[in-house]
Amino acid sequence: DQQVKQNSPSLSVQEGRISILNCDYTNSMFDYFLWYKKYPAEGPTFLISISSIKDKNEDGRFTVFLNKSAKHLSLHIVPSQPGDSAVYFCAAQHGSSNTGKLIFGQGTTLQVKP
Amino acid sequence: DTAVSQTPKYLVTQMGNDKSIKCEQNLGHDTMYWYKQDSKKFLKIMFSYNNKELIINETVPNRFSPKSPDKAHLNLHINSLELGDSAVYFCASSQDNPGTQPQHFGDGTRLSIL
């Protein structure tokens, strides 16, 4: 039972264009969401997060949008750069949990072409 | 100056052997985690310790035993290794518990069982 799903295994965009990565979740008790970026042979690194009390959070070229009614979040990267090529993981956390337990999606591989 | 370091990076061993993976963080974090990334690329939490106390223990076989000698270290010992244990194991840490602070990951240990 996969509670966090990233249905697109891969995405390819041209440098300078927008990259949109999507994530769906099923558990309405999730109230904190994060995006991690992972390069080959490295661990995931934190990118951006959003609390369920917000519908948008922006940090430089990265913006995360949350649609609670649809149980959907997306990560927008504008403009995309070749260095953004990596695997992007969406993760969610249960609100009443005080354990830090994150549920991860299976990742989307982004390729930004020069 | 690595924040979360795991050793070894690669581990190749025979079925039935016992092996350990070490993890150390120099971030002063209180909480540490072990994740398993299987062949389908899902990152799933296995264990979490907060100040040396076990707070998450997912449905992991008893052959897996975490040990936290102090809050900067969380080691993973695996007995009687099986083929299905082949995966990449990631250690992570975060500032506090509850874990709405982003988790910082090590670069992973790729375990291959022959």
Side-chain angles (χ1 to χ4, degrees):
Chain A
D1 179 26
Q2 192 59 24
Q3 298 183 70
V4 178
K5 297 179 183 178
Q6 295 174 254
N7 292 317
S8 298
S10 62
L11 174 68
S12 181
V13 300
Q14 207 65 37
E15 181 179 6
R17 299 289 185 101
I18 184 171
S19 295
I20 300 176
L21 297 104
N22 294 304
C23 178
D24 296 297
Y25 61 96
T26 57
N27 191 336
S28 58
M29 296 301 291
F30 288 148
D31 71 348
Y32 189 65
F33 304 89
L34 307 91
W35 284 94
Y36 281 82
K37 175 180 177 180
K38 183 184 180 303
Y39 292 118
E42 294 184 10
T45 55
F46 170 72
L47 198 55
I48 192 169
S49 63
I50 188 167
S51 164
S52 61
I53 62 173
K54 295 184 174 182
D55 54 18
K56 177 183 174 181
N57 188 25
E58 190 172 353
D59 183 2
R61 297 186 297 115
F62 302 91
T63 303
V64 56
F65 295 92
L66 175 63
N67 182 335
K68 281 176 290 184
S69 60
K71 294 190 180 69
H72 177 83
L73 65 154
S74 60
L75 175 68
H76 292 210
I77 307 174
V78 181
S80 300
Q81 299 173 354
D84 295 329
S85 297
V87 179
Y88 289 79
F89 289 96
C90 167
Q93 183 172 311
H94 190 297
S96 64
S97 166
N98 63 354
T99 62
K101 178 179 176 180
L102 291 178
I103 308 297
F104 281 87
Q106 66 269 50
T108 296
T109 300
L110 172 65
Q111 183 185 26
V112 180
K113 297 179 179 177
Chain B
D1 191 18
T2 307
V4 181
S5 60
Q6 303 178 220
T7 54
K9 194 170 179 67
Y10 299 96
L11 186 52
V12 182
T13 189
Q14 301 273 0
M15 208 165 50
N17 284 351
D18 303 338
K19 291 293 178 186
S20 292
I21 307 172
K22 295 185 177 181
C23 180
E24 176 182 4
Q25 55 94 4
N26 62 7
L27 298 166
H29 287 169
D30 292 327
T31 307
M32 296 185 71
Y33 312 81
W34 276 110
Y35 287 85
K36 178 181 180 181
Q37 186 179 32
D38 59 23
S39 57
K40 294 182 179 179
K41 306 300 182 186
F42 285 106
L43 266 166
K44 293 185 179 177
I45 192 161
M46 300 172 68
F47 301 103
S48 172
Y49 271 73
N50 177 260
N51 277 314
K52 297 168 49 180
E53 181 182 348
L54 182 67
I55 55 171
I56 296 177
N57 185 348
E58 292 295 294
T59 49
V60 177
N62 291 336
R63 299 182 294 104
F64 290 79
S65 53
K67 286 185 171 48
S68 182
D70 55 61
K71 74 173 192 177
H73 295 84
L74 180 62
N75 303 323
L76 184 64
H77 188 77
I78 315 170
N79 289 326
S80 303
L81 281 157
E82 300 177 356
L83 290 174
D85 298 333
S86 294
V88 182
Y89 292 85
F90 288 97
C91 176
S93 71
S94 65
Q95 178 64 44
D96 63 6
N97 174 28
T100 53
Q101 297 293 321
Q103 295 177 19
H104 297 252
F105 285 79
D107 286 340
T109 296
R110 183 174 293 278
L111 174 63
S112 299
I113 310 302
L114 303 177

